Amino acid sequence: MVESRHRAAYAVADPGGTVVLHAGDISRPVYPRSAIKPLQALALLETGAAEAFQLGDAEIALACASHGGEPRHVDTVAAWLARIGCGVDDLECGAHLPSTQQAMLDLIAGGGRPSALHNNCSGKHAGFLSIARHLGYPTAGYIAHEHPVQQRVLGVLESMTGRDLGDAPRGIDGCGIPTLGMPLGNLALAMARLAAPDDQPEPRQGAAARVRRAMAAQPFLVAGTGRFCTKIMEVTGERALVKTGAEGVYCAALTKLGLGVALKVDDGAGRAAEVLMGRLLLHLGAIDEAEAEALAETLSPPVLNRAGRRVGELRAKPI
Amino acid sequence: MVESRHRAAYAVADPGGTVVLHAGDISRPVYPRSAIKPLQALALLETGAAEAFQLGDAEIALACASHGGEPRHVDTVAAWLARIGCGVDDLECGAHLPSTQQAMLDLIAGGGRPSALHNNCSGKHAGFLSIARHLGYPTAGYIAHEHPVQQRVLGVLESMTGRDLGDAPRGIDGCGIPTLGMPLGNLALAMARLAAPDDQPEPRQGAAARVRRAMAAQPFLVAGTGRFCTKIMEVTGERALVKTGAEGVYCAALTKLGLGVALKVDDGAGRAAEVLMGRLLLHLGAIDEAEAEALAETLSPPVLNRAGRRVGELRAKPI
């Protein structure tokens, strides 16, 4: 018996803005949440901040990450902050326990406490601070919609989505920055342009290539141990760059196919967003049958009970 | 902007089986999960096991509980097991970290590890073991559908729901026992009979009264710190006995009104099940406007971001 059911909408677009596949209402705005971190990271490249601070794949991948708060995530962000003359107190994202359970247990068992470095968004925030430092803006208040860093990011988002976001519904994300409502169709277009920015101006093309390369090179830093984003990109590399967001949002930039994908589960469930993204990747040919076989437990995860017995599974309907 | 939406079905029934209010498909079977623990606990009373082992309100409340694994939950279950000549190794529910975050942090920071006592179902399992001990059945394997303890519980469920469950869809619950698919209408009927068992045979009437009294007397033991079940019953006492289950199920026995409530959120989200149950309690008059005011943050919980800023809220549509 199917116990619970999720509904979702999704859009697959090409860089010209043509929606080549969709389901549900893709014109209604959704908050993209962390799924647009790879787009926000473009500002880190385009402002020259990444070059000025000699950021490598690790830092750029972390700017795109919702990481698990594992030691390598935390240590890399801490070193990055030091490099730009900032520290954990400059992060305005708030603290939370590491998202990866083992990292959380290790931290607490060792007498530690979660800091803003463990916040899954700390890399994105280090990126914002880097932009502020590089352009000479005050770092305090960098999460405010009116701060020049957020305005710069807004410009990138408007350009990539092809949509004026001035009157977009505006919420506050889990990490304190603004999140702006945008239709899935526009979000898919932005991801298509990240995948294949040939018609974009040159600085954008280079920035997109740099973000793609970093995510593909450092899939662990984009998420963490056992996480869907990481496991997919460990197999696909740059061919399928996937990024999760809170409340059931998932985006993908399919470089080889030149397509962008954006989906939102109506009820906000991440478990459903993952299996739907997996189904779309397979349907679109971004992963092949052999890869799907190897990723079987990721694409259709078992449900285990407390004693470890397999009692069910999650699965997406065929497209 | 409303970010995410949940759909649900619910039934409100009287002890005669009349559905007085409903929404959605209430004839499709749902797995009731932990929401029927108060019904399963009837077997603990009706077999005489509770009397034989001199179980008090605390133990009976824990038999009905999805507890937070807080020290008082764990210690009470441990003492109960000792009283029946069993120990933690007899529990077949599996171990998991305490559901209450502070209890989890305290356990891990103190160098502890989760055991089956921390499993939110450990009280229910202690009840099953008590029945097995009292009736002279083997304790090993008490979670199997075929074990006489589960068959005895099945008999109670069939009688209370007014439904033959022999051919019901059968799943394995998180704690290893069978969970049987049953329509929300029948589940609401069972809860109505728990609330007002006047037409039930005498042993059932006494058992139902005992379960109601225990839950009302020990709302903390039924759930834990900050939990919806506990906060509601701390206000309502026996008037509204509420019990959550996994995957978006919630049940209530409304003693004063003589009604039973059963709901299931399609997508399995507990957050939606809680706000819908709150809305139903208010609509039905099981809590009054003044109580709703005092419970405002429970009935329509704020969404806080990582820095503690209020960024939204959960709310149910008016009935």
Side-chain angles (χ1 to χ4, degrees):
Chain A
M1 186 176 98
V2 173
E3 183 169 26
S4 299
R5 293 168 194 273
H6 303 273
R7 293 156 177 265
Y10 60 80
V12 182
D14 69 22
T18 302
V19 172
V20 299
L21 183 71
H22 83 282
D25 182 356
I26 63 167
S27 59
R28 187 171 58 82
V30 305
Y31 287 133
R33 303 297 210 99
S34 289
I36 54 166
K37 281 172 176 166
L39 303 175
Q40 293 165 321
L42 294 172
L44 183 61
L45 281 301
E46 294 177 8
T47 55
E51 191 179 3
F53 294 115
Q54 298 186 285
L55 304 183
D57 284 345
E59 290 79 14
I60 296 169
L62 278 162
C64 301
S66 297
H67 66 69
E70 300 176 63
R72 219 177 116 213
H73 302 124
V74 171
D75 295 347
T76 310
V77 173
W80 177 3
L81 289 173
R83 200 189 300 182
I84 63 171
C86 287
V88 60
D89 291 344
D90 293 301
L91 293 173
E92 298 180 358
C93 50
H96 66 77
L97 289 166
S99 309
T100 301
Q101 181 169 294
Q102 192 57 53
M104 181 276 286
L105 294 173
D106 291 345
L107 176 72
I108 301 303
R113 292 169 58 91
S115 78
L117 290 169
H118 298 95
N119 186 307
N120 74 88
C121 303
S122 65
K124 178 182 69 180
H125 283 249
F128 292 149
L129 285 167
S130 298
I131 297 171
R133 276 283 197 239
H134 178 60
L135 299 182
Y137 299 127
T139 53
Y142 71 88
I143 60 173
H145 182 66
E146 298 74 20
H147 190 282
V149 168
Q150 297 306 329
Q151 287 297 309
R152 182 82 189 218
V153 170
L154 174 62
V156 173
L157 293 178
E158 289 188 324
S159 155
M160 291 292 277
T161 60
R163 188 175 173 91
D164 179 353
L165 297 171
D167 293 326
R170 197 198 308 168
I172 304 291
D173 214 332
C175 67
I177 68 161
T179 185
L180 300 169
M182 55 187 73
L184 286 175
N186 295 78
L187 197 47
L189 168 60
M191 299 310 289
R193 286 176 166 166
L194 178 66
D198 310 4
D199 63 349
Q200 299 292 304
E202 172 39 41
R204 173 73 37 94
Q205 291 192 33
R210 192 76 192 79
V211 164
R212 295 196 310 264
R213 194 178 83 202
M215 291 178 75
Q218 299 283 356
F220 172 81
L221 293 180
V222 177
T225 304
R227 293 270 297 279
F228 187 88
C229 285
T230 298
K231 288 193 283 186
I232 293 293
M233 291 189 289
E234 281 175 350
V235 168
T236 61
E238 198 170 329
R239 187 182 357 135
L241 301 167
V242 293
K243 183 66 195 71
T244 188
E247 289 295 323
V249 179
Y250 233 107
C251 284
L254 308 181
T255 308
K256 200 168 166 190
L257 296 167
L259 295 173
V261 182
L263 69 86
K264 159 82 180 171
V265 178
D266 292 3
D267 58 70
R271 67 181 184 182
E274 290 179 359
V275 296
L276 176 55
M277 178 54 79
R279 176 69 74 172
L280 284 165
L281 293 176
L282 185 58
H283 177 79
L284 295 168
I287 52 177
D288 64 28
E289 291 287 348
E291 291 167 335
E293 193 76 24
L295 287 164
E297 299 258 304
T298 301
L299 300 179
S300 191
V303 175
L304 305 180
N305 75 5
R306 302 303 194 169
R309 178 171 175 184
R310 184 180 179 122
V311 296
E313 64 177 12
L314 304 172
R315 57 173 185 261
K317 281 204 311 187
I319 303 293
Chain B
M1 185 176 98
V2 173
E3 182 169 26
S4 300
R5 294 168 194 273
H6 304 273
R7 293 156 178 264
Y10 61 80
V12 182
D14 70 21
T18 303
V19 172
V20 299
L21 184 71
H22 84 282
D25 182 356
I26 63 167
S27 59
R28 185 171 59 82
V30 304
Y31 288 133
R33 304 296 209 97
S34 289
I36 54 165
K37 281 172 176 166
L39 303 175
Q40 293 165 321
L42 294 172
L44 183 61
L45 280 301
E46 294 176 7
T47 55
E51 192 180 1
F53 294 115
Q54 297 186 286
L55 304 184
D57 284 345
E59 290 79 15
I60 295 169
L62 278 162
C64 301
S66 297
H67 66 69
E70 300 176 62
R72 218 178 116 214
H73 302 124
V74 171
D75 295 347
T76 310
V77 173
W80 176 5
L81 289 173
R83 199 190 300 184
I84 63 171
C86 287
V88 60
D89 292 343
D90 293 301
L91 292 173
E92 298 181 357
C93 49
H96 66 78
L97 289 166
S99 310
T100 300
Q101 181 169 294
Q102 193 56 54
M104 182 274 286
L105 294 173
D106 291 345
L107 176 73
I108 301 303
R113 292 169 57 92
S115 78
L117 290 169
H118 298 95
N119 186 305
N120 73 87
C121 303
S122 65
K124 178 182 67 178
H125 283 249
F128 292 149
L129 285 167
S130 299
I131 297 172
R133 276 284 196 241
H134 179 60
L135 299 181
Y137 298 127
T139 52
Y142 70 88
I143 60 174
H145 182 65
E146 299 72 20
H147 190 281
V149 168
Q150 297 305 329
Q151 287 297 309
R152 182 83 189 218
V153 170
L154 174 62
V156 173
L157 294 178
E158 289 188 323
S159 155
M160 290 293 277
T161 59
R163 188 174 173 95
D164 178 353
L165 297 171
D167 295 325
R170 197 198 307 169
I172 305 290
D173 214 332
C175 68
I177 68 161
T179 184
L180 300 167
M182 55 188 74
L184 286 174
N186 294 79
L187 197 46
L189 167 60
M191 299 309 289
R193 286 174 166 166
L194 179 66
D198 309 4
D199 63 349
Q200 300 291 303
E202 172 40 42
R204 174 72 36 93
Q205 291 192 32
R210 192 75 192 78
V211 164
R212 294 197 311 263
R213 194 178 82 202
M215 291 178 74
Q218 299 283 356
F220 172 81
L221 293 181
V222 177
T225 304
R227 293 271 295 280
F228 187 88
C229 285
T230 297
K231 288 194 282 185
I232 293 293
M233 291 189 290
E234 281 174 351
V235 168
T236 61
E238 200 170 328
R239 186 181 0 134
L241 301 166
V242 293
K243 183 66 194 73
T244 188
E247 289 295 324
V249 179
Y250 233 106
C251 285
L254 309 181
T255 309
K256 200 169 166 189
L257 296 167
L259 295 173
V261 182
L263 68 87
K264 159 83 180 170
V265 178
D266 292 3
D267 58 70
R271 67 181 184 183
E274 289 180 359
V275 296
L276 176 55
M277 178 53 79
R279 177 68 73 171
L280 283 165
L281 292 177
L282 186 57
H283 177 80
L284 295 168
I287 53 176
D288 65 27
E289 291 287 348
E291 290 167 336
E293 193 75 25
L295 287 165
E297 299 259 302
T298 301
L299 300 179
S300 190
V303 175
L304 306 180
N305 75 4
R306 302 302 194 169
R309 178 172 175 185
R310 184 180 180 124
V311 295
E313 64 178 11
L314 304 172
R315 57 174 184 262
K317 281 203 312 187
I319 303 293

